[in-house]
C-alpha cells in the first residue's frame, strides 16, 4: 500500500513519452548536483543539535556520526552516478531518494521529540531551531523532486512545530507557529515551482521536437535537392559537389577519373514504346552502373539519359580505359521490360585528374563530354578517354559562340543558291537558299556546325528571319516559274504566329506564296509537332509547297508521311550513295521512290555527285535532282543569270 502511495506520489514523469523522459532527465540532473549538499547540510545541523543539546542519546547512539557515515556513503553513490544512465535507472534512484528522505526525516523527528520531552526551555528552542532548519534546507535542496521535497516539511518540520507548540515556554510556542507558517508556505511554493519546472521542461521538449522535425525536414529537403527522383541516384548537383570535393583534396583520392555516359538510341525507345518503358530502362541501367562501378565510386544521373561516374584511384589514361571498358561490359546487355527485350548500350567519355589540380568541375565535365562525343563517333557501346587533341573542337565552338553574338553577324552570314533540276526537262524548278559564313579567323563555317550552336544560344530565330527576308527579296527577281526553296528552323516552324509572319514577309517582298517551297526536317517537327502541323497547313492553303527534307536519314520519317501532307519528298543523299554501292541499296531506293509515287508525292534526290547516280535516278523514275554534278551553289547574281537560261541538257544515255 505504501509502495503504491509512493509510486503515485512520485511525479517524475512517464518515460513512455518524450516529454516524460525529458522531465525525468531534468529532475535527475538537478538532484545529482544538490543531494550531496543536502547530506552535508543534514550532518552539520545534526552535529550542531547534538552540541546544543549536550550529548548523546541515553542509549548511546552518536546521531551526527551515524548520519555522517550514511551521508558520505550516499554522496559517493551520487557522485559516481553516470550521466548516461537510462531512464528506468533514474526513476529507481529517485524512488530510493524518497524512501531515504522519509526514513531520515522520521529518525530526526524521533530524536528531536526525545530531546524535547527530556529537556525544557532553551534546549527545546535549540531542538526546534536545528530540526526546522534541517527540514527547510532539505526541502529546498530536494525541490527538483517534489515528492521527496515535501517529506522534510510534512514528516519533520510540521510535526516538530506541533510538538513544540505544546511547550509552556511562550517563546517556543511562538517559534513553532512561525515555523508552521513557513513550512506551509514552502509547501505552496514547492507546488508552484514544480508546475513551472514541468512547464519549462515541456517547453524545452517541444522546442527540441520542433528542432528535430526541422532538422528532419532540412535533411529531406537536402535529399530531395541532391537525389534523382526516378533512379534514386545522386543528381547533377550532388555529383558536382562530390567532384568539387575530389578536386579540392577533401577526399582520400589522390587521383580519379570522371565519366559521362549516355544510352544509345534512348529517344527511339521513348518515342516508340512510351516514357514508362524508357523510365524502366533508365532504372535498370542505373542499378547495373552502381553494381559495376563498385562501392567507392559515385554514380549519378545528370539528366535525361545521361549518367556521371566518379571513379576513385584511377591513375592515367590506360587504367581509365580499362575501368570504363569493364563497366560498359557489365552494363551493356539485354533487359526485359513488359515482355519486350531491349539492348542496353552506352557510350562513355572519360577524363582523368588529380586532387588539388586546380581544374574546375565544369572543366572536367566538359573534357569528359568531348570524349563522349568522340566515343559516339566511333560506334555504339564504346569508350573514349579525353586527350589534348580533343580540345581543338571546344576552342572552335567557343569562338563560334562569341562570333554568333557579335552585332554585325547579319553582315557576315550570306546566302548562296543551288538549283533543283527537273530530271526530265533539265529546267530549273527551284533554287535552294543555303547559308554561308566565312569568318576572318575561323574560315568557312558550315550550317551543320553553326546552326545547332545558334539554336542553343537562342539567336537562330533572328538570323533565320534576316536570311529569309533576304532570300524572298532575291527570289522576287527570278523568272516566274522558278520557286525559292528555304529551310525553316524549328523556331520559325513552331512559333505561334509563324505562318502569319511568313506570309506577311512574302507580301512585303512581293513574292507570291505559290513560288515558295518550305523545307522542313524531322528534327524541326519534333520540337512541337502539333504547332508545326498547324503552321504548315496554313502555308499549304496559301499556296506554298511543303517539302520533307532528308527523308531516309531519321528513324520515324515514314510515320510523318501518314500524319502530314507533303507535296514533295527530298531523299537523303545516303540512299543514293547506298544504291550505287550495292544491289540492296538500289532496291531500297527504288522502293522509296515507288512509295512516294503511290502516295502521289514528287521526289527530289539531293547530293547527285556523278553521271552514274544521275542515270540511276532517271531509270528509277525520280522527278528532280540537286547536287554538284548538276550545278554547284552560286552567288545571287550567278543564280539570277542561270535561272534565266534555257536549263541543262540531261543525257541519260
Amino acid at each position: 500500500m505504501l509502495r503504491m502511495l509512493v509510486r503515485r506520489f512520485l511525479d517524475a514523469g512517464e518515460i513512455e513519452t518524450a516529454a516524460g523522459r525529458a522531465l525525468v532527465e531534468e529532475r535527475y540532473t538537478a538532484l545529482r548536483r544538490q543531494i550531496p549538499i543536502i547530506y552535508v547540510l543534514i550532518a552539520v545541523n545534526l552535529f550542531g543539535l547534538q552540541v546544543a543539546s549536550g550529548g548523546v542519546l541515553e542509549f548511546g547512539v552518536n546521531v551526527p556520526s551515524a548520519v555522517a557515515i550514511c551521508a558520505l556513503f550516499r554522496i559517493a553513490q551520487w557522485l559516481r552516478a553516470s550521466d548516461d544512465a537510462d531512464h528506468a535507472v533514474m526513476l529507481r534512484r529517485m524512488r530510493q531518494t524518497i524512501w531515504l528522505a522519509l526514513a531520515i526525516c522520521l529518525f530526526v523527528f524521533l530524536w528531536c521529540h526525545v530531546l524535547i520531552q527530556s529537556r525544557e526551555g532553551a534546549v527545546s528552542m535549540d531542538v526546534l531551531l536545528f530540526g526546522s532548519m534541517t527540514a527547510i534546507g532539505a526541502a529546498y535542496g530536494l525541490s527538483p523532486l517534489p515528492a521527496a521535497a515535501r517529506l522534510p516539511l510534512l514528516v519533520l518540520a510540521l510535526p516538530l512545530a506541533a510538538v513544540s507548540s505544546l511547550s509552556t515556554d511562550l517563546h517556543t510556542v511562538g517559534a513553532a507557529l512561525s515555523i508552521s507558517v513557513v513550512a506551509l508556505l514552502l509547501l505552496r511554493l514547492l507546488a508552484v515551482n514544480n508546475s513551472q519546472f514541468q512547464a519549462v521542461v515541456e517547453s524545452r521538449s517541444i522546442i527540441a521536437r520542433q528542432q528535430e522535425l526541422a532538422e528532419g525536414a532540412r535533411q529531406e529537403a537536402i535529399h530531395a535537392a541532391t537525389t534523382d527522383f526516378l533512379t534514386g541516384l545522386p543528381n547533377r548537383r550532388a555529383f558536382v559537389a562530390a567532384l568539387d570535393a575530389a578536386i579540392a583534396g577533401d577526399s582520400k583520392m589522390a587521383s580519379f577519373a570522371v565519366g559521362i555516359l549516355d544510352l544509345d538510341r534512348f529517344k527511339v525507345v521513348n518515342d516508340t514504346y512510351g516514357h514508362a518503358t524508357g523510365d524502366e530502362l533508365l532504372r535498370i541501367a542505373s542499378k547495373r552502373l552502381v553494381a559495376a562501378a563498385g562501392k567507392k565510386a559515385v554514380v549519378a544521373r545528370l539528366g535525361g539519359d545521361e549518367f556521371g561516374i566518379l571513379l576513385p584511384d584511377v591513375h592515367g589514361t590506360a587504367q581509365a580505359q580499362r575501368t570504363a571498358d569493364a563497366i560498359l561490359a557489365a552494363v551493356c546487355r539485354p533487359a526485359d521490360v513488359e515482355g519486350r527485350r531491349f539492348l542496353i548500350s552506352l557510350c562513355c567519355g572519360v577524363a582523368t585528374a588529380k586532387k588539388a589540380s586546380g581544374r574546375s568541375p565544369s572543366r572536367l565535365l566538359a573534357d569528359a563530354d568531348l570524349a563522349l562525343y568522340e566515343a559516339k563517333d566511333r560506334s555504339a557501346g564504346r569508350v573514349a578517354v579525353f586527350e589534348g587533341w580533343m580540345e581543338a573542337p571546344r576552342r572552335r565552338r567557343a569562338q563560334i559562340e562569341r562570333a554568333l553574338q557579335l552585332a554585325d553577324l547579319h553582315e557576315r552570314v550570306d546566302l548562296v543558291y543551288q538549283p533543283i533540276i527537273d530530271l526530265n526537262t533539265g529546267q530549273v524548278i527551284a533554287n535552294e537558299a543555303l547559308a554561308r559564313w566565312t569568318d576572318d579567323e575561323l574560315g568557312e563555317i558550315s550550317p551543320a556546325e553553326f546552326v545547332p550552336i545558334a539554336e542553343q544560344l537562342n539567336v537562330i530565330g533572328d538570323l533565320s528571319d534576316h536570311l529569309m527576308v533576304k532570300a524572298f527579296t532575291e527570289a522576287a527577281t527570278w523568272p516566274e516559274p522558278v520557286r525559292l526553296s528555304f529551310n525553316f528552323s524549328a523556331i520559325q516552324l513552331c512559333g505561334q504566329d509563324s505562318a502569319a509572319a511568313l506570309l506577311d514577309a512574302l507580301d512585303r517582298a512581293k513574292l507570291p506564296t505559290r513560288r515558295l517551297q518550305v523545307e522542313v526536317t524531322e528534327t524541326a517537327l519534333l520540337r512541337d509537332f502539333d504547332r508545326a502541323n498547324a503552321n504548315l497547313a496554313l502555308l499549304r492553303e496559301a499556296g506554298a509547297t511543303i517539302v520533307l527534307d532528308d527523308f531516309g536519314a531519321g528513324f520515324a520519317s515514314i510515320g510523318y508521311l501518314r500524319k502530314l501532307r507533303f507535296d514533295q519528298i527530298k531523299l537523303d543523299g545516303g540512299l543514293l550513295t547506298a544504291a550505287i554501292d550495292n544491289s540492296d541499296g538500289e532496291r531500297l531506293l527504288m522502293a522509296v521512290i515507288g512509295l512516294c509515287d503511290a502516295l502521289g508525292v514528287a521526289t527530289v534526290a539531293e547530293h547527285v555527285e556523278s553521271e552514274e547516280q544521275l542515270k540511276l535516278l532517271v531509270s528509277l523514275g525520280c522527278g528532280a535532282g540537286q547536287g554538284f554534278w548538276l550545278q554547284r551553289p552560286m552567288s545571287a547574281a550567278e543564280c539570277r543569270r542561270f535561272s534565266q537560261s534555257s536549263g541543262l541538257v540531261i543525257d541519260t544515255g
Side-chain angles (χ1 to χ4, degrees), residues 172-187:
T172 303
V173 173
L177 291 174
S178 177
I179 289 172
S180 298
V181 173
V182 172
L184 292 173
L185 179 60
L186 280 177
L187 285 171

Side-chain angles (χ1 to χ4, degrees), residues 503 513 534-544 546 565:
L503 293 173
T513 309
N535 283 326
L536 291 176
L538 289 174
L539 293 174
R540 181 183 293 105
E541 290 176 6
I546 308 302
R565 287 180 54 200

Side-chain angles (χ1 to χ4, degrees), residues 64-85:
S65 299
V67 172
I69 292 172
C70 293
L72 288 173
F73 176 73
R74 289 296 295 167
I75 289 172
Q77 281 189 320
W78 278 97
L79 291 177
R80 289 199 308 268
S82 60
D83 292 326
D84 57 351

